[in-house]
Amino acid sequence: MSVDTAEPSEFSPRQNAVLEQALRLLVDGGEKALTTSGVARAANCSKESLYKWFGDRDGLLSAMIAYQASKVRTFERNGERLTAASLHDHVVIFARDLLEVLAGDVSLALNRLAIGQSHRDGSKLGKLLLERGRRQIDRRAMALIDAGKRAGLLRFVDADEAYHTLYGLVVSDLHVRMLLGEPGLKDTARQAEKAVTAFLRLYGTEKVLAEMPALG
């Protein structure tokens, strides 16, 4: 399995458990703690298994980021017929997951580490965070938005613009403030519902707007 092309769902439960331990090591001990020996010891596996599953250290980092991004759920049930209510529910789940992942210790540690390495020649972490983290989330969320349009529930000309409007409504400047040390939201559910309601009022069709009081 190539880490560069594998989806997080293709990792086995055992591999996911190893990635969880690697992320915890990064949070607790910083970059210096993230060694193959340290991960193997924490996850109770061999270094040979790590190299077989993830390749080198960059491959391990790539897998860690992809696994973390996979915690943001979107529309993934093939054949499901979207309704106004189910679209609302899917987008709220996405918004809540996004807030909780971005506000978590793991994502904050990864982003702070990438910022700290940004001046170094050859540093790959920032690129990995974009390609294996943010863009993976973006792609899956835009698939949900496109499904909403095909179902006659959303109207927009530019899907990218609609998605980034949603992202901005959900996240605002929260992530930047948390990277600078401010505490996170006490009620992510309320923020998610508020953002999704605003998004649906902007982009929802009459079919969705007619159900807005019932939806939120």
Side-chain angles (χ1 to χ4, degrees):
M1 177 179 63
S2 169
V3 170
D4 289 337
T5 58
E7 291 295 322
S9 60
E10 294 180 13
F11 295 130
S12 70
R14 178 62 177 134
Q15 290 166 342
N16 285 341
V18 170
L19 294 172
E20 196 69 53
Q21 289 298 323
L23 289 167
R24 182 48 50 191
L25 277 178
L26 180 66
V27 171
D28 293 343
E31 181 183 7
K32 292 181 180 179
L34 194 64
T35 64
T36 52
S37 296
V39 173
R41 186 164 51 251
N44 194 27
C45 70
S46 67
K47 289 196 289 185
E48 289 75 18
S49 292
L50 289 179
Y51 286 118
K52 177 182 178 181
W53 292 336
F54 309 118
D56 59 13
R57 189 171 181 274
D58 286 342
L60 176 60
L61 274 170
S62 177
M64 289 163 61
I65 292 164
Y67 170 69
Q68 184 70 2
S70 74
K71 297 175 183 178
V72 181
R73 295 166 292 170
T74 52
F75 177 66
E76 296 173 351
R77 282 177 274 183
N78 292 332
E80 177 183 354
R81 183 176 178 83
L82 279 176
T83 64
S86 63
L87 173 66
H88 167 271
D89 291 347
H90 280 303
V91 182
V92 167
I93 287 170
F94 163 76
R96 289 184 65 173
D97 285 356
L98 181 62
L99 286 169
E100 289 171 9
V101 166
L102 289 179
D105 290 342
V106 169
S107 289
L108 292 173
L110 282 168
N111 278 275
R112 285 170 178 150
L113 181 58
I115 292 168
Q117 291 184 358
S118 61
H119 65 285
R120 299 183 192 175
D121 291 338
S123 176
K124 297 180 180 179
L125 183 55
K127 183 178 180 181
L128 287 172
L129 278 172
L130 286 173
E131 293 182 351
R132 300 289 285 152
R134 174 66 186 269
R135 286 173 188 158
Q136 181 190 124
I137 292 170
D138 292 352
R139 175 178 55 79
R140 290 188 286 113
M142 286 182 67
L144 169 59
I145 289 175
D146 283 334
K149 183 177 182 179
R150 290 195 303 273
L153 302 170
L154 297 175
R155 53 186 170 196
F156 51 79
V157 175
D158 188 331
D160 186 69
E161 179 182 294
Y163 166 66
H164 283 92
T165 298
L166 172 62
Y167 191 97
L169 288 167
V170 174
V171 178
S172 184
D173 64 345
L174 173 68
H175 200 219
V176 172
R177 289 189 284 111
M178 290 194 68
L179 286 170
L180 295 174
E182 283 195 15
L185 291 172
K186 293 182 179 179
D187 190 350
T188 55
R190 182 173 181 275
Q191 171 64 15
E193 186 66 54
K194 180 181 176 182
V196 171
T197 297
F199 174 75
L200 293 177
R201 291 194 187 282
L202 285 170
Y203 292 99
T205 62
E206 295 301 322
K207 193 183 299 185
V208 171
L209 295 176
E211 296 191 29
M212 282 298 292
L215 294 177

